[in-house]
Amino acid sequence: MPSIFTKIIQGEIPAHKIAETEDFLAFLDINPLAKGHTLAIPKKEIDYIFDMEDDQLAGLMAFAKQVAKAIEKVVPCERIGISVIGLEVPHTHVHLIPINDIGDMNFSKPKLSPSMEELAELAGAIRKHYAK
Ligand code: 5GP
């Protein structure tokens, strides 16, 4: 069965997309830890990041870097934190989270529930800064 993220790639489930290449997709997390929390994923469905081919893994990181640069132009923050967990969705995803202190990367804290309108507006603003 395809992962929920493959369904997003295929357009079966809506998402607030930030950037897309032949191999990768970035979109806003639906329940962010912080405003601008974005997921960068490979289009090829692989559960565990360290099962990815080296070139695909390097490509995902380079893609995440470009996405992070766009996020930080829109969301005021000290820097973009990066984390990979993957215990909920079995499709590799890199969390990109605007942070100001270490606590902002605490995945145990309550998540935010922005409206679809807020997510759409934010995604649009970040998209404008993504360098293809
Ligand atoms: P993890 O697998 O790394 O523990 O977390 C999965 C992440 O995916 C969570 O932050 C969760 O909010 C996000 N997520 C789960 N389902 C969806 C979805 O359908 N759309 C979006 N945009 N994010 C999702």
Side-chain angles (χ1 to χ4, degrees):
M1 201 175 98
S3 74
I4 196 153
F5 291 166
T6 291
K7 289 183 179 172
I8 286 174
I9 292 163
Q10 293 172 345
E12 291 172 33
I13 292 178
H16 297 93
K17 295 181 182 175
I18 301 292
E20 183 163 12
T21 69
E22 196 180 335
D23 293 328
F24 308 109
L25 177 68
F27 52 92
L28 292 177
D29 194 298
I30 202 162
N31 288 127
L33 271 178
K35 182 179 175 182
H37 181 168
T38 297
L39 304 175
I41 69 171
K43 289 187 175 173
K44 186 173 176 187
E45 188 178 323
I46 296 175
D47 177 0
Y48 183 39
I49 190 166
F50 294 132
D51 286 334
M52 288 179 75
E53 297 294 336
D54 288 355
D55 61 334
Q56 280 288 298
L57 178 57
L60 177 60
M61 287 300 138
F63 176 70
K65 173 181 169 181
Q66 295 301 320
V67 173
K69 296 283 178 192
I71 298 168
E72 67 192 20
K73 286 190 179 114
V74 175
V75 181
C77 60
E78 189 76 26
R79 58 178 55 206
I80 303 298
I82 180 168
S83 181
V84 177
I85 300 176
L87 292 173
E88 183 187 326
V89 178
H91 184 143
T92 293
H93 49 285
V94 173
H95 294 266
L96 299 170
I97 305 173
I99 58 171
N100 293 296
D101 69 59
I102 188 74
D104 295 335
M105 291 295 288
N106 179 0
F107 278 79
S108 301
K109 73 179 188 185
K111 301 245 192 121
L112 306 174
S113 298
S115 69
M116 290 298 120
E117 290 75 20
E118 286 173 302
L119 290 173
E121 190 182 336
L122 180 60
I126 299 171
R127 265 198 307 273
K128 284 187 196 149
H129 291 278
Y130 174 71
K132 287 175 193 157

